[in-house]
Amino acid sequence: MLQPQWQVIPSQPIPEWFLETVKLYAPESDGRYAAQILWQRGICTREQLIQFLDPNAYQPTSSFAFGQEMKWAIQRLLKARDRQEKIAIWGDFDADGITSTSVLWEGLGQFFPQHLQLNYYIPNRISESHGLNCLGIERLAIAGIKLIVTCDTGSTNLKEIDYANQLGIDIIVTDHHSLPEERPSVVSIINPRYFAENHPLYHLSGVAVAYKLVEALYQVLPDVPQQPVEELLDLVTIGLIADLVQLSGDCRYLAQKGLQKLTERLNNKRNPIRPGVTFLLELCNKSGDRPTDISFGLGPRINAVSRIHGEASFCVELLTSRDSKHCKKLAEAAELANTRRKALQKDVVEQVKKKLSQLDLSTTSVIVLDDPQWQSGILGLVASQIAQEYNRPTILLSTATNETNNSPKLARGSARSIKNIDLYELLKTQANLLHKFGGHPFAAGLSFPVENLPLFREAIEYQLRQQLSNIALMTSTIEADLVVTISALGKLLFKELKLVEPCGMGNPTPKLLIKNCWFEEVSHRNTKDLHKKPVTYIKTTFKICDDSATIGFPGGWWGHYQDEIPQQQRCDAIVELDFNNYSNCHEVRLIAVRTSIPTTEFRNSLAQDEYLFDYRNRLTNIELLDCRILQACPTSWNEIHREYRNAIAREEKLALAYTQPQLPDPQQIWQQLLGIAKYLGRTGKVVTLDQLKKKLSLSDRTLNFGLKALAELGFIYNCSDCSIEISYSNQFSSEQQSAIAQGIATKPIAIFLEAVREEHFQRQYFSQIPLATLKGHLLAGNSNFESHNLL
């Protein structure tokens, strides 16, 4: 498995107005980190920026933007209300489906009596799978249901929809998954996939679509509901964030408003509106005010219930019941299911990797694996993890024997994709081999007869190879948004980066690169379940350190062992900044790590940036020693050996060119010193003399010349206790302003530049002379040395 390339997104100059606007929302910091990220992500106008940071400045899109489909849905609901027809909400068992069902249960419940006229149906993940099914529809028909409102499902269930129509049941579909080629025979289909991709509603998840339907009904019958429609927004944000949709347009607005509603309700401890949510957050040690509390806390626990038990209907009670005692029991059941899920997921990941070790991945574009022992409920999670690690679309299937002997044996499973590969369209090319499938570009569920498995594996591999080159598939990247030091981590940076939240697809959690760091106090342990029993799911904890801070910063790495972290050596690490509610402190979540010291003398002679980042646009490309990309498939091992020998020869030749240290131009050092002086003067910050000398690679004597040159330009410096403080007057003379702006070399500047050249000469000259020889010349008072003023 090739290791991913690391890249830092290039920093760009930020307009002053942009930075000042961000500062308004981050008054305790200078806002430069958040501003850099937002600017990099294409938020470049004042209107975009304000609407991104403040949901109250955003104008949400009307529910009736869905046009005639929304009108038909409202007309049918009004008809059902007038005729007192029984309605069933057909949901789904994942977090988006459960919250969608809960939104319709509470929202439509304002217009239709719950349990009398309105009910809900959640299919069993294991025995029924996603979507509508004929057996479930038949049960509802027997119960007298005349209208089914789906949520987070139904768009492609054409056969099941026709069967419902035959039984006299109308269907309103609310969904966000991929559309069929022809409109199904339903009363209404409310699906944002009908919009253009740049439409503000296009990325709505299932729960957000369900909310739009309720919102429209509130507008038509405003006097009927007993509670505002906004009371549902906390449920909406749980489903939105848990489903990993792109949080832009109305999605971001709904998530922001929902987080505010969730936080407001959690703070009301005397009269909790959603005790089930409160208990879940307590069990996972989350506060509920951050998107990660949903994506790593609430979402996995809601999903775990169906993954382990199949049946997940009680999750709707967990989210909507006001009975605290009942909700506490349900929350504990969800917590135990999630603990079991972690252990199962770890076991299956190990089994999958063992199977992969027996494959030739150089000829594999799509990973398709099966096993009769795998539990289908956790295959989506494992497929996602494998797809990310191996940078290939991954399809994992359970071939367990069917419960009924009359039905054909089916392989059931989940598929997850990687960037730029539309998984749904890929599966669609094999529709003739499949029994059922559905999903969206990055995730899908599928089933097909087991005897089709060999043909399916071969056909989907061939199909993807026709679309993409194998090299493109094998190459993955991890992008860091910012380069920071340990001293920058903490409360202020955490609060500043919260401006970017809520994060998700299209707006990922900021990733921070810490260079030349090391790890201390590294240890791993098994996590424990609700009853304090150990679970085979590992978390490694550590302190991460660098030269900018005297103490390390705490962090963790879930699912990894301590020996996976390089110890007693310098590293580069990509992390996310987080807050640990359990220990009540800020910490980093480790994303990736690798040693920053090269493994050969050749790499040792290069600067870190020379080997850490992307070389694709470099003319003088220095290839890494641990991999070779051959332009054509070799016909024998001799070709590979020859290529390797040629590569070694090229590297040795390049190494000779790098034996002389490449020192920066003195003028560049002066500009760097000048920039540091401006920064310190503007911010009022203090640095140590050692930090300044190390940054500029200067001796005390040369740095002193530089400070005198700064004083000539009007800067004021004060050295005390090994630290230096620099300030300046706003009233520079015209000569000083010209010297600063144009880099004019005044006499003190010229002296500084000459001192830098002399220091560089000393380093280069002395580095070429063996130490013993140098000592002999010095003791003998060699005149050649004196002539260069080296003594």
Side-chain angles (χ1 to χ4, degrees), residues 77 87-91 104 108 147-151 172-174 213:
L77 288 169
I87 301 173
I89 302 163
W90 188 295
L104 291 180
L108 296 182
L147 174 63
I148 292 175
V149 181
T150 77
C151 50
I172 296 171
V173 171
T174 72
L213 174 63

Side-chain angles (χ1 to χ4, degrees), residues 297-313:
L298 296 176
R301 283 155 178 80
I302 295 171
N303 284 323
V305 174
S306 64
R307 296 187 192 281
I308 300 303
H309 303 297
E311 175 61 45
S313 294

Side-chain angles (χ1 to χ4, degrees), residues 37-328:
I37 292 172
L38 296 175
W39 187 264
Q40 287 168 177
R41 295 183 180 181
I43 300 169
C44 301
T45 70
R46 194 180 302 275
E47 182 182 18
Q48 284 178 319
L49 179 60
I50 293 175
Q51 289 184 356
F52 186 93
L53 296 174
D54 182 6
N56 294 322
Y58 181 83
Q59 180 61 48
T61 309
S62 168
S63 298
F64 287 96
F66 284 97
Q68 193 62 45
E69 296 288 355
M70 182 63 79
K71 293 178 181 177
W72 285 331
I74 296 300
Q75 289 171 5
R76 184 63 184 88
L77 288 169
L78 294 176
K79 179 180 176 182
R81 190 167 187 269
D82 291 340
R83 295 183 176 182
Q84 296 187 339
E85 293 175 332
K86 286 188 176 182
I87 301 173
I89 302 163
W90 188 295
D92 197 19
F93 39 71
D94 65 7
D96 190 25
I98 293 294
T99 52
S100 301
T101 306
S102 300
V103 163
L104 291 180
W105 178 242
E106 287 196 357
L108 296 182
Q110 296 289 311
F111 304 89
F112 304 93
Q114 292 176 340
H115 300 296
L116 296 176
Q117 194 178 354
L118 183 68
N119 283 282
Y120 59 84
Y121 183 91
I122 306 291
N124 186 295
R125 180 191 282 266
I126 297 173
S127 61
E128 296 178 85
S129 191
H130 292 276
L132 296 166
N133 65 77
C134 293
L135 285 176
I137 292 172
E138 193 172 327
R139 292 192 200 105
L140 294 179
I142 294 172
I145 298 299
K146 294 299 180 183
L147 174 63
I148 292 175
V149 181
T150 77
C151 50
D152 193 36
T153 194
S155 292
T156 58
N157 295 133
L158 306 183
K159 182 183 74 173
E160 292 78 9
I161 290 169
D162 289 339
Y163 183 67
N165 290 338
Q166 292 172 21
L167 297 179
I169 299 176
D170 289 337
I171 293 183
I172 296 171
V173 171
T174 72
D175 193 11
H176 72 120
H177 294 98
S178 298
L179 295 163
E181 292 182 0
E182 296 183 6
R183 184 185 183 277
S185 55
V186 294
V187 171
S188 168
I189 177 168
I190 304 171
N191 190 321
R193 296 286 169 177
Y194 281 115
F195 293 119
E197 284 193 35
N198 60 353
H199 194 282
L201 297 180
Y202 179 80
H203 294 290
L204 294 185
S205 70
V207 68
V209 179
Y211 177 79
K212 286 294 184 182
L213 174 63
V214 174
E215 187 180 56
L217 192 56
Y218 264 70
Q219 292 177 23
V220 173
L221 297 175
D223 299 327
V224 175
Q226 299 299 304
Q227 68 175 22
V229 70
E230 290 80 15
E231 295 297 303
L232 302 171
L233 284 174
D234 54 345
L235 295 173
V236 175
T237 198
I238 293 172
L240 267 171
I241 293 173
D243 205 48
L244 303 177
V245 296
Q246 182 167 317
L247 294 178
S248 59
D250 277 52
C251 276
R252 179 174 176 82
Y253 166 78
L254 291 171
Q256 287 174 304
K257 299 296 285 187
L259 278 170
Q260 292 175 0
K261 176 61 67 176
L262 182 61
T263 303
E264 172 190 318
R265 285 187 160 171
L266 291 170
N267 289 334
N268 182 15
K269 300 187 183 298
R270 290 187 177 181
N271 185 29
I273 303 298
R274 300 200 190 280
V277 174
T278 302
F279 286 128
L280 273 182
L281 288 168
E282 288 177 358
L283 288 168
C284 60
N285 296 306
K286 303 290 184 183
S287 60
D289 63 339
R290 296 195 62 219
T292 50
D293 295 346
I294 295 171
S295 53
F296 294 109
L298 296 176
R301 283 155 178 80
I302 295 171
N303 284 323
V305 174
S306 64
R307 296 187 192 281
I308 300 303
H309 303 297
E311 175 61 45
S313 294
F314 80 72
C315 289
V316 179
E317 295 179 60
L318 176 62
L319 297 182
T320 60
S321 173
R322 304 297 191 262
D323 186 336
S324 291
K325 289 183 178 180
H326 183 53
C327 285
K328 186 175 183 180

Side-chain angles (χ1 to χ4, degrees), residues 118 152 254 407 504 630 749 764:
L118 183 68
D152 193 36
L254 291 171
S407 58
L630 302 180
I749 297 176
Q764 289 183 311

Side-chain angles (χ1 to χ4, degrees), residues 393-678:
T394 300
I395 303 171
L396 301 181
L397 303 157
S398 173
T399 54
T401 304
N402 292 55
E403 295 181 1
T404 58
N405 295 325
N406 296 329
S407 58
K409 186 178 180 182
L410 295 177
R412 302 176 185 273
S414 296
R416 296 295 184 269
S417 191
I418 57 175
K419 60 180 181 180
N420 301 327
I421 297 178
D422 190 323
L423 186 61
Y424 182 84
E425 291 299 321
L426 187 63
L427 290 174
K428 191 175 176 182
T429 63
Q430 311 305 317
N432 60 313
L433 298 176
L434 303 179
H435 171 65
K436 287 176 67 176
F437 77 100
H440 48 76
F442 290 100
L446 71 160
S447 63
F448 55 85
V450 170
E451 58 265 26
N452 289 353
L453 181 55
L455 182 57
F456 173 79
R457 181 182 283 115
E458 183 178 341
I460 204 164
E461 174 74 25
Y462 175 80
Q463 183 65 36
L464 185 56
R465 280 183 175 273
Q466 296 296 95
Q467 298 177 24
L468 298 171
S469 72
N470 200 42
I471 291 177
L473 276 173
M474 293 170 63
T475 304
S476 64
T477 58
I478 300 177
E479 287 189 338
D481 298 278
L482 302 167
V483 179
V484 300
T485 60
I486 300 298
S487 61
L489 302 176
K491 180 180 178 180
L492 289 181
L493 180 58
F494 178 79
K495 292 181 71 173
E496 184 177 333
L497 294 183
K498 282 191 73 174
L499 295 178
V500 183
E501 295 179 351
C503 296
M505 288 178 59
N507 183 43
T509 301
K511 291 181 172 55
L512 315 176
L513 173 62
I514 303 172
K515 300 169 67 174
N516 203 28
C517 60
W518 66 91
F519 293 86
E520 295 178 354
E521 302 177 31
V522 181
S523 64
H524 66 242
R525 59 176 173 80
N526 285 329
T527 54
K528 294 183 179 180
D529 66 13
L530 185 61
H531 302 305
K532 306 302 179 183
K533 295 180 180 179
V535 181
T536 55
Y537 193 76
I538 293 295
K539 179 185 179 182
T540 293
T541 58
F542 53 79
K543 292 287 185 66
I544 185 169
C545 314
D546 72 3
D547 294 320
S548 72
T550 56
I551 58 174
F553 197 82
W557 201 11
W558 283 97
H560 293 268
Y561 292 88
Q562 64 184 35
D563 55 7
E564 296 180 62
I565 293 182
Q567 298 180 47
Q568 297 181 344
Q569 56 184 310
R570 297 278 178 153
C571 304
D572 299 306
I574 293 180
V575 302
E576 295 174 357
L577 187 56
D578 199 5
F579 185 80
N580 188 325
N581 290 90
Y582 184 75
S583 56
N584 195 33
C585 71
H586 296 91
E587 67 175 20
V588 294
R589 184 186 303 115
L590 186 59
I591 304 300
V593 61
R594 64 186 184 187
T595 54
S596 59
I597 299 176
T599 57
T600 68
E601 290 184 6
F602 168 59
R603 288 188 194 167
N604 236 346
S605 70
L606 303 181
Q608 284 182 2
D609 288 350
E610 289 291 300
Y611 66 85
L612 186 57
F613 301 118
D614 189 3
Y615 297 111
R616 287 173 295 180
N617 298 321
R618 297 275 297 275
L619 295 175
T620 57
N621 184 15
I622 304 168
E623 297 179 347
L624 299 182
L625 294 175
D626 47 8
C627 67
R628 295 273 166 252
I629 297 177
L630 302 180
Q631 300 303 318
C633 182
T635 58
S636 68
W637 282 105
N638 288 335
E639 285 190 36
I640 298 176
H641 292 158
R642 184 167 59 252
E643 173 63 24
Y644 182 77
R645 287 194 299 271
N646 292 340
I648 293 296
R650 288 196 301 271
E651 284 161 358
E652 289 176 349
K653 185 177 180 181
L654 282 169
L656 292 174
Y658 278 84
T659 55
Q660 295 295 329
Q662 302 296 313
L663 299 173
D665 181 72
Q667 188 66 42
Q668 292 178 350
I669 293 179
W670 165 246
Q671 292 298 331
Q672 192 176 10
L673 176 60
L674 186 59
I676 292 172
K678 291 179 182 177

